[in-house]
């Protein structure tokens, strides 16, 4: 039976992108190929918040005890090696049993599954078929993979995605790829972060959109130029701008300005509802 290293598994409202407001189960896998230490920092500087917390990692026995950060990746504990012991390796059976326990009617109704990270399309692609074919997952209609858009799909996983989206008696299941491609404000190298060849392939296997995290007009301009690069390679999906801000003080500085930038440029705006609603606490 397949196993996945799970950083968090919880039930909440999807706060971002296409399914904003939809009750959702979040499965946060462990591991990422990036650090995104540039978020919320002055241009050219990198956050050291996560590394600072890592130095006192043994103080924390539970994932939800970890402090939130106002700079860098707000999900740092889902990839930073110092916190790996807080993320258990669980079998498909154990994950499914926990999902059924937290669903409000203890079976899939109208809820949506978000597989996030970290970067959920790293090695875990091989484990998803076993999890998603589990008999107790019947009735699930919509899955979103929240990805940074740098990981190609394996041949086995592509076959599975086609199989999973075959029409059922009364619905057609749908996979979405929510691609948060990283701009220079993330601190990641552009040639590694912007991979239109990979994202264009996602469009063959699911509804795919781009979601850029921005703070300034300069970031929005970079998002538009970057979206054009994806378009030039054949990308056809929608483009969202989303405000930077894993904590409310940063989010409220940015949200209105980013909404206005989205309107001005004819792009979609994505909120981060988990910040004003739940203060972005772990498990929300
Ligand atoms: S890609 Fe996402 S999870 Fe990975 S470091 Fe960047 S923001 Fe964090």
């Amino acid at each position: 039976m397949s196993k996945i290293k799970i950083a968090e598994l919880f039930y909440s409202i999807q706060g971002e992108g296409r399914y904003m407001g939809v009750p959702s189960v979040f499965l946060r896998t462990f591991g990422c190929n990036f650090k995104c230490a540039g978020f919320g920092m002055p241009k050219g500087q990198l956050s050291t918040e996560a590394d600072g917390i890592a130095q006192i990692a043994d103080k924390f026995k539970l994932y939800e005890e970890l402090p939130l950060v106002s700079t860098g990746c707000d999900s740092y504990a889902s990839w930073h090696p110092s916190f790996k012991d807080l993320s258990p390796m669980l079998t498909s059976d154990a994950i499914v049993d926990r999902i059924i326990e937290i669903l409000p009617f203890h079976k899939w109704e109208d809820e949506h599954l978000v597989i996030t990270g970290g970067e959920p399309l790293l090695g875990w692609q091989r484990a998803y078929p076993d999890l998603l074919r589990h008999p107790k997952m019947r009735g699930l209609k919509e899955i979103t993979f929240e990805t940074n858009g740098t990981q190609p799909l394996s041949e086995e996983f592509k076959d599975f995605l086609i199989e999973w989206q075959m029409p059922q008696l009364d619905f057609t299941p749908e996979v979405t790829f929510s691609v948060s491609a990283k701009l220079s404000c993330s601190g990641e190298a552009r040639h590694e972060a912007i991979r239109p060849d990979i994202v264009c392939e996602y469009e063959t296997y699911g509804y795919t959109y781009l979601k850029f995290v921005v703070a300034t007009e300069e970031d929005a301009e970079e998002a538009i130029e970057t979206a054009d690069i994806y378009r030039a390679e054949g990308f056809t999906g929608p483009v969202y701008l989303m405000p930077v801000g894993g904590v409310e003080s940063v989010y409220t500085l940015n949200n209105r300005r980013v909404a206005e930038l989205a309107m001005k440029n004819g792009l979609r705006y994505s909120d981060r509802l988990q910040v004003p609603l739940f203060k972005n606490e772990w498990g929300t």
Side-chain angles (χ1 to χ4, degrees):
M1 181 177 297
S2 297
K3 290 184 175 179
I4 305 178
K5 194 166 173 61
I6 299 294
E8 287 189 290
L9 177 52
F10 58 93
Y11 176 63
S12 188
I13 295 285
Q14 171 59 291
E16 306 175 3
R18 179 188 190 190
Y19 287 100
M20 224 170 31
V22 176
S24 304
V25 170
F26 289 78
L27 182 68
R28 189 184 301 285
T29 60
F30 186 86
C32 188
N33 53 324
F34 287 157
K35 293 185 173 171
C36 296
F39 282 142
M41 296 296 290
K43 204 172 171 63
Q45 293 183 34
L46 299 178
S47 169
T48 55
E49 268 191 88
D51 287 334
I53 300 164
Q55 286 176 8
I56 49 165
D58 52 1
K59 273 187 160 185
F60 306 103
K61 302 293 170 232
L62 295 172
Y63 196 95
E64 51 271 27
E65 289 173 355
L66 291 164
L68 302 180
V69 293
S70 56
T71 55
C73 168
D74 62 356
S75 324
Y76 67 93
S78 68
W79 53 262
H80 198 296
S82 297
F83 308 107
K84 68 178 189 318
D85 293 343
L86 300 179
S87 297
M89 188 72 99
L90 299 180
T91 63
S92 298
D93 273 351
I95 296 169
V96 172
D97 284 348
R98 176 69 186 137
I99 288 174
I100 295 303
E101 195 183 315
I102 60 179
L103 280 169
F105 301 104
H106 306 301
K107 62 186 173 70
W108 289 102
E109 295 277 353
D110 193 33
E111 304 84 3
H112 149 245
L113 175 65
V114 184
I115 303 186
T116 187
E119 171 46 54
L121 296 178
L122 281 172
W124 305 123
Q125 287 185 38
R126 66 179 182 278
Y128 297 137
D130 193 35
L131 174 75
L132 297 168
R133 284 186 185 123
H134 195 288
K136 291 182 187 168
M137 294 296 271
R138 280 193 199 122
L140 171 63
K141 303 176 187 69
E142 293 156 313
I143 304 173
T144 295
F145 290 95
E146 291 187 332
T147 171
N148 60 28
T150 62
Q151 301 304 307
L153 304 175
S154 70
E155 292 306 315
E156 296 74 21
F157 191 49
K158 287 184 209 171
D159 290 345
F160 168 75
L161 290 171
I162 292 169
E163 173 202 311
W164 193 81
Q165 293 178 96
M166 297 295 275
Q168 305 292 304
L169 273 183
D170 48 356
F171 66 92
T172 299
E174 190 176 20
V175 166
T176 295
F177 293 97
S178 171
V179 179
S180 185
K182 302 305 176 211
L183 298 177
S184 57
C185 62
S186 70
E188 296 299 327
R190 189 167 174 85
H191 67 281
E192 288 176 6
I194 305 305
R195 296 295 308 269
D197 51 330
I198 289 173
V199 172
C200 286
E201 193 180 39
Y202 293 173
E203 286 198 294
T204 308
Y205 298 94
Y207 178 91
T208 304
Y209 61 87
L210 288 165
K211 187 180 63 178
F212 293 106
V213 175
V214 299
T216 62
E217 190 135 2
E218 198 182 340
D219 295 341
E221 278 167 19
E222 188 185 334
I224 291 160
E225 280 165 23
T226 307
D228 286 345
I229 294 171
Y230 284 87
R231 295 258 184 255
E233 291 254 350
F235 178 73
T236 59
V239 177
Y240 289 74
L241 298 186
M242 184 170 86
V244 73
V247 293
E248 209 170 15
S249 55
V250 180
Y251 160 85
T252 48
L253 278 178
N254 286 299
N255 57 348
R256 180 171 174 154
R257 186 173 56 221
V258 173
E260 287 169 354
L261 285 169
M263 287 192 293
K264 181 176 157 192
N265 292 289
L267 301 175
R268 298 186 184 193
Y269 170 74
S270 168
D271 210 290
R272 315 168 73 106
L273 288 179
Q274 66 276 27
V275 180
L277 284 179
F278 306 119
K279 315 298 176 214
N280 208 22
E281 287 161 359
W282 304 114
T284 62

